[in-house]
Amino acid sequence: VVAHGNTALLAGMIGLQPAAMALPPAGQQLDLALRSLKRVLRAVKSGREHVAAATAYFTQEFLKAHAGGTGALQHLAAAWHEWAGQAELVAVQVAQLPRGAAVELQVCAGTAAAASPWMWAVAGAEGEAGADCGAAPARVQEACAAALARARGGTPAACRLRLFYDAAWAADARPAVASAVDAAEADGCTVAVALGVAQVWRLQAGRAVRVVAAAEATAAVA
């Protein structure tokens, strides 16, 4: 947990059983991770109603535990929507997580005392993985530009940018990623990560959509 003014950044939220501090079967971990997140948010004087957006990292074990593929992501989208309402979530498939967890949550939230002085925006460029590799560069740049525009709200605020792109487009997307990173840094942004992963999804309002790229931007506002 990292606190910055009225903002709390929470990472490493995995589904441990509180009594034994051990992981249950993969199918039970999301519910426990959300319960743990609720307790930690309360401890930092925040709550689910103050969550701006989040990232979920999941493994193949999570997919297997929830009917695989789209079914698993729809389950994640529905659970997140029920828990956090309209707060957006980017879901990223990774090879492994700490302690062998199947899912991990990372959250940016304001506190109950005041609204967060940070704006957090998520943008995804939709497209079926592998369907049109030639469109990847434009989609990567679209995701970055949209996230930065939403975070800044028309102001020249400094930003921190994270970019995930589908590894199915790795060869085609790499030049676009380099270009997007250069453009963001030239515009006063700090690029925290630009990472090719197995799958990238955007989850909102209980719906999961696989995307070519997703960018998350935070911007300080007065």
Side-chain angles (χ1 to χ4, degrees):
V1 179
V2 177
H4 182 88
N6 294 320
T7 299
L9 301 174
L10 287 65
M13 298 292 104
I14 59 176
L16 292 171
Q17 295 171 319
M21 292 301 288
L23 288 166
Q28 302 173 25
Q29 292 181 30
L30 176 59
D31 181 60
L32 285 171
L34 289 171
R35 292 184 192 182
S36 176
L37 178 57
K38 180 180 179 181
R39 290 193 296 271
V40 176
L41 284 171
R42 187 185 302 123
V44 297
K45 296 179 172 52
S46 185
R48 69 181 76 183
E49 69 276 14
H50 299 293
V51 171
T55 305
Y57 300 94
F58 64 93
T59 67
Q60 188 65 28
E61 292 306 309
F62 179 82
L63 295 180
K64 291 179 181 177
H66 296 285
T70 303
L73 272 296
Q74 294 293 355
H75 171 80
L76 176 55
W80 177 255
H81 180 59
E82 181 179 356
W83 192 88
Q86 297 300 315
E88 293 189 68
L89 178 70
V90 168
V92 180
Q93 184 178 359
V94 294
Q96 60 184 18
L97 288 168
R99 302 186 66 163
V103 62
E104 175 187 337
L105 299 173
Q106 178 177 305
V107 168
C108 174
T111 67
S116 168
W118 293 79
M119 295 183 66
W120 177 287
V122 179
E126 296 186 14
E128 184 180 349
D132 183 6
C133 290
R139 292 185 183 278
V140 169
Q141 292 171 343
E142 286 169 11
C144 289
L148 290 173
R150 290 181 58 193
R152 285 174 161 167
T155 71
C159 281
R160 179 177 181 273
L161 179 70
R162 297 199 311 159
L163 170 67
F164 301 101
Y165 60 94
D166 197 304
W169 282 276
D172 295 87
R174 196 169 291 117
V177 170
S179 177
V181 167
D182 288 345
E185 290 178 340
D187 201 22
C189 295
T190 299
V191 179
V193 65
L195 185 65
V197 294
Q199 293 184 22
V200 187
W201 294 74
R202 184 183 183 188
L203 284 64
Q204 187 178 32
R207 177 172 173 257
V209 178
R210 190 169 179 182
V211 298
V212 176
E216 300 169 343
T218 51
V221 294

